[in-house]
Amino acid sequence: MNYFKTTILLIALTLLLVWVGSMVGGRQGAMFAFAIAMGMNFFSYWFSDKIVLKMYGARIVSEQESPDYYTWFGSSRIGRHAHAENLHHSNECDERLCNGEKSPSCCGSRHRGDA
């Protein structure tokens, strides 16, 4: 559903930009606006994740800076090529992280810091 909403938003913004281009410059203005819109859509689709990470000052953390992430996800999954979906924090106990144990000692000590 999110892909559908994103597609609709990009189409709507493209049409708006083309309409404004046609009002300003006629057919040539519309064609120029369409080319700009395609460039913006391409850039937004492929680089939006990097833009957001830079906006928030995200950086790769070492094991010494955040040992919990390395404990939760394993050092093999964290590093230069870690994916954002692998670095989430959940309030619920995740069976994968606690080796199948759903006990408060496992979930509390490894997730929330309170046993």
Side-chain angles (χ1 to χ4, degrees), residues 10-11 15 27 49 52-53 61 65 71 76-77 83 88:
L10 290 175
I11 289 171
L15 292 174
R27 185 176 173 146
D49 56 340
V52 170
L53 290 172
V61 295
E65 292 174 309
T71 302
S76 65
R77 291 180 64 187
H83 297 286
H88 71 281

Side-chain angles (χ1 to χ4, degrees), residues 7-85:
T7 302
I8 295 299
L9 177 65
L10 290 175
I11 289 171
L13 292 174
T14 298
L15 292 174
L16 177 66
L17 192 59
V18 169
W19 179 74
V20 170
S22 69
M23 290 292 142
V24 172
R27 185 176 173 146
Q28 283 185 330
M31 293 300 288
F32 181 73
F34 182 73
I36 296 295
M38 288 298 103
M40 288 172 45
N41 287 342
F42 175 80
F43 188 78
S44 297
Y45 184 80
W46 288 106
F47 299 108
S48 60
D49 56 340
K50 293 170 184 65
I51 292 169
V52 170
L53 290 172
K54 285 199 183 273
M55 280 176 36
Y56 284 96
R59 60 184 177 81
I60 298 171
V61 295
S62 67
E63 189 169 0
Q64 291 76 28
E65 292 174 309
S66 185
D68 289 340
Y69 281 132
Y70 283 82
T71 302
W72 295 344
F73 300 106
S75 59
S76 65
R77 291 180 64 187
I78 296 179
R80 293 195 61 84
H81 302 292
H83 297 286
E85 64 265 18

